[in-house]
Amino acid sequence: MDVTTLSLTTLDLTNEDGLLLLRLNRPDALNSFTVAMAEELTRVFTEVNDDDTVRAVIVTGTGRAFCAGMALDVAGNVFGLDESVQPDWADLADLTDPALARVRDTGGMVTLAIYACRKPVIAAINGAAVGIGATMTLAMDARLVSTKARFGLVFGKLGISPEACSTWFLPRLVGTAKALDLIYSAEILDAEATVAIGLAARAYEPEELLTAARELANRWTRGRSAVSVALMRQQIYRNSGQPHPAAASRSETMAMYATSIGDGKEGVAAFLAKRPAEFAARASQMPAWYADWIAEFDARWGANTPVE
Amino acid sequence: MDVTTLSLTTLDLTNEDGLLLLRLNRPDALNSFTVAMAEELTRVFTEVNDDDTVRAVIVTGTGRAFCAGMALDVAGNVFGLDESVQPDWADLADLTDPALARVRDTGGMVTLAIYACRKPVIAAINGAAVGIGATMTLAMDARLVSTKARFGLVFGKLGISPEACSTWFLPRLVGTAKALDLIYSAEILDAEATVAIGLAARAYEPEELLTAARELANRWTRGRSAVSVALMRQQIYRNSGQPHPAAASRSETMAMYATSIGDGKEGVAAFLAKRPAEFAARASQMPAWYADWIAEFDARWGANTPVE
Amino acid sequence: MDVTTLSLTTLDLTNEDGLLLLRLNRPDALNSFTVAMAEELTRVFTEVNDDDTVRAVIVTGTGRAFCAGMALDVAGNVFGLDESVQPDWADLADLTDPALARVRDTGGMVTLAIYACRKPVIAAINGAAVGIGATMTLAMDARLVSTKARFGLVFGKLGISPEACSTWFLPRLVGTAKALDLIYSAEILDAEATVAIGLAARAYEPEELLTAARELANRWTRGRSAVSVALMRQQIYRNSGQPHPAAASRSETMAMYATSIGDGKEGVAAFLAKRPAEFAARASQMPAWYADWIAEFDARWGANTPVE
């Protein structure tokens, strides 16, 4: 799988020596979000798991914006929802039910694909990130901002409500009190403010942003085992949400066992010999238990009602 | 429903142009907490959901204290508990069982009503907030302190244990390590210390405290859709506690759908026309799915054992 | 039970007037972690619950290291795992299954014993804390570091994966974003960096480290009810992980009831008389409901699948 061969109309992909630079690519429309972009982002964050040439993903925008949110000047329901469906709560039991296709929050499709991704994902926010342009970055592992970045969780001003699983991701990044203040206030933050509140790691000059993102991505993944990185990412996100640490001990036991008979052997040998490690395991071929763990986790915790 | 018409003996309510100023009103007793106050607070935070003239609630104390905790100089069990009941763990399966009425933590009744409230709640801590006077504010959306505020999680010094769901709210506000230190240390913090540890947003001169609280409440709710605000509040509290972001995507899908065919139409139109929005939806009449979501959430996660 | 009478080969225990000083005691090997050390730590953190002479535990290292991690220069599987077992995910359903004895992450055994401990636990990190030497401290209630401390979550560099329930504890201490950065980066932090990132409370001169740890332990436990302290500790860890605050209200109701008819009576009387309290309850004899609460909690949340 070479993810850069995907046929895409709203995104531009470049594999830069193992770092996938993903550009939101509708510069004439400030990279505003569309249903097509949602589907393409979901596809890329899913397919990239099977492209072993990619170590990490960097998301940025073409031109002066990162992503200006949903295009609000379209005809009909501006969020692309089918107003005739009128779902009730019971209909939501299975989010993947095709009957929900025209109803479902498309931002949530994207962030759930990022959640399930086996590669680190870095947002390089080069300009305005508003609405879904802001919330999609909350599911990424770091947010670097240029001094020209703007970050707006503006839902309240439009009479709508936050999406893209942001009511799950945001409080985990900044705590409940700051999350409420950001969401209620609905103000557009400048780069400094995103750093001050803990949303972004650091602000950079515009011309330094991508360099900084590449350096971070390399620091995280160069010379690493792709399976080790995937297990670390999935365990931090999933186990931190479990009510009990014993549940974490299960996946950690399996992950430690799998790597101790896999890339860990090379890692320890290289460490003892004081030479760089050469890891062989591939994230496209996770150990067998991995799929069982993820499937059980999604079924138990991702459903509306407990699985019997 | 006009919440200010409730007949109350321990609280004083004023509706100031949409902001409900709720004063703990036993100034001769430093507004110390009683079973009557617990019942009245629970009632107000429940009934206010049906008073569409209220956009947000500000809680403060009459006189020099905020709330000095339980009155400890009463006869019998100072916490108002019936010592003859002797419940065991199985008896707690249903917290609303009338048999538990004289046993149940009354602070928890109050904070669970605040948790379920559809309006933002701001604590304006004007003086001593000790014991339940401190823990009740942890369930509120922001804590503003006057320079005369004192904040004491003093349970350890009395040989008792924290209540009012504070073992749930506190770590979400300040993290596990600071929560343990605060609870173990049982010290009384001054205003500066509450800000330094992240419990309070900012300290104000006493005469500026209510003005600041009103400004914050207006910044959060003026010109907003009451249904949008209610959905934002409930989703931040409930979805951030879910183990999996997919669960958040369900309520977000319903919330986005509901607002996109409701106040969101006016919000987008006003935004495009660069005019102020005039929202019509009322928090007393939430969309139909809302009650189903809340009921399922409470049954699944609020019970001791999984609901079959 | 006098925990200092346990026969131990890798640990040194001293009861200093109620503070148990636990030294990781393999100084010739930089206190590196072994299966024997895992079993002894698990035993001490379990048995200490029944030693009423101990109020708190301070963990430090003998000599210049805290704990340099697993000894990597042993023959066979360096993590002590039996490579012939080849467990699959279903085998992990019961972590205590004896068939998993040679497969299970030993660090997780230790941190789950710390999680269940009824006494505050303080890490006094005197030197290198690497791998399991770092992760075991994440389950402790505070980390004090000497200026000579080094803290390394180095799993990524070895091609392995974090253990000891660290994917559960770490994000609760520093948030998701910092947790990911620490784990991906796999760098060794100096004392200052551990404080800056919020992992350690403060850095001390080496000769002041144990004094500071003793002062903190005394501040937390001297003149306190041992049952009150145990209830506070267990409720902060367990209730903060629950999805719903109502669940916290259950244990808080029982804890408040139990202490109000127990040590709380003395606590209130002493407070009103302005004299020091003399508490009598013992953590070796928790109230009857306590075991039921813990058992239900572990069964419901610690298992892979919901308990029917």
Side-chain angles (χ1 to χ4, degrees):
Chain A
M1 173 69 211
D2 174 355
V3 77
T4 62
T5 64
L6 289 173
S7 171
L8 303 168
T9 62
T10 68
L11 310 177
D12 178 74
L13 303 184
T14 320
N15 186 329
E16 298 180 330
D17 194 23
L19 305 183
L20 184 70
L21 187 65
L22 184 166
R23 287 184 188 275
L24 306 172
N25 195 39
R26 298 179 1 100
D28 296 344
L30 298 175
N31 305 319
S32 61
F33 195 79
T34 61
V35 173
M37 188 184 281
E39 285 167 359
E40 292 185 1
L41 282 167
T42 303
R43 190 158 174 215
V44 169
F45 282 111
T46 305
E47 301 279 6
V48 75
N49 289 319
D50 292 323
D51 185 345
D52 289 314
T53 70
V54 174
R55 289 181 281 116
V57 183
I58 296 169
V59 181
T60 195
T62 301
R64 65 193 174 89
F66 179 79
C67 169
M70 293 294 291
L72 295 181
D73 52 355
V74 298
N77 187 293
V78 295
F79 306 102
L81 306 174
D82 182 340
E83 303 193 356
S84 71
V85 176
Q86 302 278 350
D88 63 26
W89 181 245
D91 296 329
L92 271 283
D94 177 9
L95 268 179
T96 61
D97 183 345
L100 297 177
R102 298 293 316 284
V103 169
R104 187 176 171 194
D105 169 45
T106 50
M109 280 172 41
V110 174
T111 55
L112 287 171
I114 298 174
Y115 175 79
C117 188
R118 304 203 281 273
K119 324 269 173 163
V121 182
I122 295 169
I125 305 177
N126 56 300
V130 179
I132 177 64
T135 50
M136 75 162 77
T137 73
L138 301 175
M140 303 181 190
D141 303 354
R143 282 147 299 285
L144 308 185
V145 290
S146 105
T147 52
K148 296 199 171 167
R150 297 294 178 269
F151 191 90
L153 300 165
V154 297
F155 307 94
K157 289 194 175 158
L158 296 171
I160 56 173
S161 180
E163 29 59 290
C165 304
S166 57
T167 59
W168 193 86
F169 284 104
L170 182 62
R172 286 161 192 269
L173 290 173
V174 298
T176 309
K178 286 180 187 169
L180 286 167
D181 186 49
L182 281 165
I183 289 289
Y184 286 149
S185 297
E187 281 164 15
I188 294 185
L189 308 180
D190 64 16
E192 243 174 75
T194 63
V195 175
I197 210 166
L199 276 170
R202 221 188 104 182
Y204 297 87
E205 291 303 315
E207 64 276 16
E208 295 169 356
L209 180 66
L210 282 182
T211 304
R214 290 182 191 110
E215 282 174 3
L216 182 61
N218 281 325
R219 182 154 68 87
W220 283 358
T221 62
R222 184 167 274 168
R224 298 294 158 78
S225 160
V227 165
S228 158
V229 170
L231 291 170
M232 294 192 291
R233 185 174 200 276
Q234 287 300 314
Q235 289 188 99
I236 288 285
Y237 278 108
R238 290 176 188 265
N239 289 341
S240 65
Q242 298 251 9
H244 197 303
S249 192
R250 293 198 163 77
S251 73
E252 291 175 357
T253 287
M254 293 301 282
M256 178 60 87
Y257 190 88
T259 54
S260 86
I261 61 175
D263 272 348
K265 284 202 188 297
E266 163 65 7
V268 170
F271 174 80
L272 294 173
K274 299 184 180 174
R275 61 165 174 81
E278 294 191 23
F279 294 118
R282 291 186 277 168
S284 64
Q285 294 171 302
M286 297 296 285
W289 62 272
Y290 178 84
D292 294 337
W293 169 50
I294 298 294
E296 182 186 278
F297 190 96
D298 287 348
R300 178 174 184 191
W301 300 118
N304 266 341
T305 47
V307 175
E308 305 303 313
Chain B
M1 172 70 210
D2 173 356
V3 77
T4 63
T5 64
L6 289 173
S7 171
L8 303 168
T9 63
T10 68
L11 309 177
D12 178 74
L13 303 184
T14 320
N15 187 329
E16 298 180 332
D17 193 22
L19 305 183
L20 183 70
L21 186 64
L22 185 165
R23 287 184 188 275
L24 307 172
N25 195 39
R26 295 177 6 96
D28 296 344
L30 298 175
N31 305 319
S32 61
F33 195 79
T34 61
V35 173
M37 187 184 282
E39 285 166 359
E40 292 185 1
L41 283 167
T42 303
R43 191 158 172 218
V44 170
F45 282 110
T46 305
E47 301 278 5
V48 76
N49 289 320
D50 292 323
D51 185 344
D52 289 316
T53 69
V54 174
R55 288 181 281 116
V57 184
I58 296 170
V59 181
T60 194
T62 301
R64 65 192 175 89
F66 180 79
C67 169
M70 293 294 291
L72 294 181
D73 52 356
V74 299
N77 187 294
V78 296
F79 306 101
L81 305 174
D82 182 339
E83 303 193 356
S84 71
V85 176
Q86 303 278 352
D88 62 27
W89 182 245
D91 297 328
L92 270 283
D94 177 8
L95 268 179
T96 61
D97 183 345
L100 297 177
R102 298 294 316 283
V103 168
R104 187 178 170 192
D105 169 45
T106 48
M109 280 170 42
V110 175
T111 54
L112 287 172
I114 298 173
Y115 174 79
C117 188
R118 304 203 280 274
K119 323 269 175 164
V121 182
I122 295 170
I125 306 178
N126 56 301
V130 179
I132 176 65
T135 50
M136 75 163 78
T137 72
L138 301 175
M140 302 180 190
D141 302 354
R143 284 147 297 286
L144 307 186
V145 290
S146 105
T147 53
K148 297 199 170 166
R150 298 294 178 270
F151 192 89
L153 300 165
V154 298
F155 307 94
K157 288 194 175 158
L158 295 171
I160 57 174
S161 180
E163 28 59 290
C165 304
S166 58
T167 59
W168 193 85
F169 284 104
L170 182 62
R172 286 160 192 270
L173 289 174
V174 298
T176 309
K178 286 180 187 171
L180 286 166
D181 186 49
L182 281 166
I183 289 289
Y184 286 150
S185 297
E187 280 164 15
I188 294 183
L189 308 180
D190 62 15
E192 244 175 74
T194 63
V195 175
I197 209 165
L199 276 170
R202 219 187 106 183
Y204 296 87
E205 291 304 314
E207 64 275 16
E208 295 169 355
L209 180 66
L210 282 182
T211 304
R214 288 181 193 110
E215 283 174 3
L216 183 61
N218 281 325
R219 183 154 67 88
W220 283 357
T221 62
R222 186 167 273 170
R224 298 295 158 78
S225 160
V227 166
S228 158
V229 169
L231 291 170
M232 295 194 289
R233 184 175 200 274
Q234 287 299 313
Q235 289 188 98
I236 288 285
Y237 278 109
R238 291 177 187 264
N239 289 342
S240 65
Q242 297 251 11
H244 197 303
S249 192
R250 291 196 165 77
S251 73
E252 291 175 356
T253 287
M254 292 302 282
M256 178 59 89
Y257 190 89
T259 54
S260 86
I261 60 176
D263 272 347
K265 284 202 188 295
E266 162 66 6
V268 169
F271 174 80
L272 294 174
K274 299 185 181 172
R275 62 165 173 82
E278 292 191 25
F279 294 117
R282 292 187 275 168
S284 65
Q285 293 173 300
M286 297 296 286
W289 62 272
Y290 179 83
D292 294 337
W293 169 50
I294 299 293
E296 182 185 277
F297 189 96
D298 287 348
R300 178 174 185 190
W301 300 118
N304 267 340
T305 47
V307 173
E308 306 303 315
Chain C
M1 172 71 209
D2 174 355
V3 77
T4 64
T5 64
L6 289 173
S7 172
L8 303 168
T9 63
T10 68
L11 310 177
D12 178 73
L13 303 184
T14 318
N15 186 329
E16 298 179 331
D17 194 22
L19 304 183
L20 184 70
L21 186 65
L22 184 166
R23 287 184 188 275
L24 306 172
N25 195 38
R26 297 179 3 98
D28 296 344
L30 298 175
N31 305 319
S32 62
F33 195 79
T34 61
V35 173
M37 187 184 280
E39 285 167 358
E40 292 185 2
L41 282 167
T42 303
R43 191 160 172 214
V44 169
F45 281 111
T46 305
E47 300 278 5
V48 75
N49 289 320
D50 292 323
D51 185 344
D52 288 315
T53 69
V54 174
R55 289 180 282 117
V57 183
I58 296 169
V59 181
T60 195
T62 301
R64 67 193 173 88
F66 179 79
C67 169
M70 292 295 291
L72 294 181
D73 52 356
V74 298
N77 187 294
V78 295
F79 305 102
L81 305 174
D82 182 339
E83 303 192 357
S84 70
V85 175
Q86 303 277 352
D88 62 27
W89 181 245
D91 297 328
L92 270 283
D94 178 7
L95 268 179
T96 61
D97 183 344
L100 297 177
R102 299 295 315 284
V103 168
R104 186 178 171 192
D105 169 44
T106 50
M109 280 172 42
V110 174
T111 54
L112 287 172
I114 297 173
Y115 175 79
C117 188
R118 304 203 280 273
K119 324 269 174 162
V121 182
I122 295 169
I125 305 178
N126 56 300
V130 179
I132 176 64
T135 50
M136 75 163 76
T137 73
L138 301 175
M140 302 179 191
D141 303 352
R143 283 146 298 285
L144 308 185
V145 290
S146 105
T147 52
K148 297 200 171 166
R150 297 294 178 272
F151 192 90
L153 300 166
V154 297
F155 307 94
K157 289 195 175 156
L158 296 170
I160 57 175
S161 181
E163 28 61 290
C165 304
S166 57
T167 58
W168 193 86
F169 284 104
L170 182 61
R172 285 161 193 271
L173 290 174
V174 298
T176 309
K178 287 181 187 171
L180 285 167
D181 186 49
L182 281 166
I183 289 289
Y184 287 150
S185 298
E187 280 164 16
I188 294 184
L189 309 180
D190 63 17
E192 242 174 78
T194 63
V195 174
I197 209 165
L199 277 169
R202 219 188 106 183
Y204 297 88
E205 291 303 315
E207 63 276 15
E208 294 168 357
L209 179 66
L210 283 182
T211 302
R214 288 182 192 109
E215 283 175 2
L216 182 61
N218 280 325
R219 184 154 67 88
W220 283 358
T221 63
R222 185 168 273 170
R224 299 294 158 79
S225 159
V227 165
S228 158
V229 170
L231 290 171
M232 294 193 290
R233 184 175 201 276
Q234 287 300 313
Q235 289 188 99
I236 289 285
Y237 279 109
R238 290 177 189 265
N239 289 340
S240 64
Q242 298 251 9
H244 196 303
S249 192
R250 293 197 163 76
S251 73
E252 290 175 358
T253 286
M254 293 302 281
M256 178 59 88
Y257 190 88
T259 54
S260 86
I261 61 174
D263 273 348
K265 284 201 187 295
E266 163 65 6
V268 170
F271 174 80
L272 293 174
K274 300 186 181 174
R275 62 165 173 82
E278 293 191 23
F279 293 118
R282 292 185 277 168
S284 64
Q285 293 173 301
M286 297 297 285
W289 62 273
Y290 179 83
D292 294 337
W293 170 49
I294 299 293
E296 183 185 278
F297 190 96
D298 287 348
R300 177 173 185 192
W301 300 117
N304 268 339
T305 47
V307 174
E308 306 301 317

